[in-house]
Amino acid sequence: MPKGESRGYTGFFHICLISDDMEKLADDIAASGGKRRSDLWNTWENKLYYLIYCEDPFGNIIELYSRSTELMYGNRD
């Protein structure tokens, strides 16, 4: 995108939280007026790295991770 050009975003894109019990947290978000946007995904075969996408009651995306970002996506070799 050229410098100075905007797509109309005025705030954050989404937040990401690390959770020991992602399924329960996703259910709690849905029970509190939000919604679950995805099933549980395994992001790296043979590793216990999972994520779930949710949405708060205002439409903001919440990404739930089982591990930190550097573990989930770094040093895949």
Side-chain angles (χ1 to χ4, degrees):
M1 189 164 23
K3 186 175 180 180
E5 190 174 315
S6 171
R7 291 192 178 157
Y9 298 117
T10 58
F12 63 90
F13 170 67
H14 74 284
I15 63 170
C16 183
L17 305 172
I18 299 170
S19 174
D20 290 331
D21 192 346
M22 296 169 39
E23 295 280 358
K24 181 179 181 326
L25 183 53
D27 290 343
D28 289 347
I29 290 168
S32 300
K35 61 176 134 172
R36 187 173 174 153
R37 295 182 58 131
S38 77
D39 291 327
L40 183 72
W41 293 1
N42 183 296
T43 61
W44 195 347
E45 190 175 342
N46 300 319
K47 299 242 182 200
L48 301 176
Y49 298 168
Y50 298 99
L51 69 82
I52 299 174
Y53 284 101
C54 296
E55 187 176 308
D56 73 10
F58 306 101
N60 299 301
I61 304 300
I62 302 169
E63 190 173 12
L64 305 177
Y65 277 4
S66 61
R67 304 282 188 271
S68 66
T69 301
E70 70 268 13
L71 287 175
M72 298 271 289
Y73 297 107
N75 299 318
R76 290 192 131 188
D77 296 335

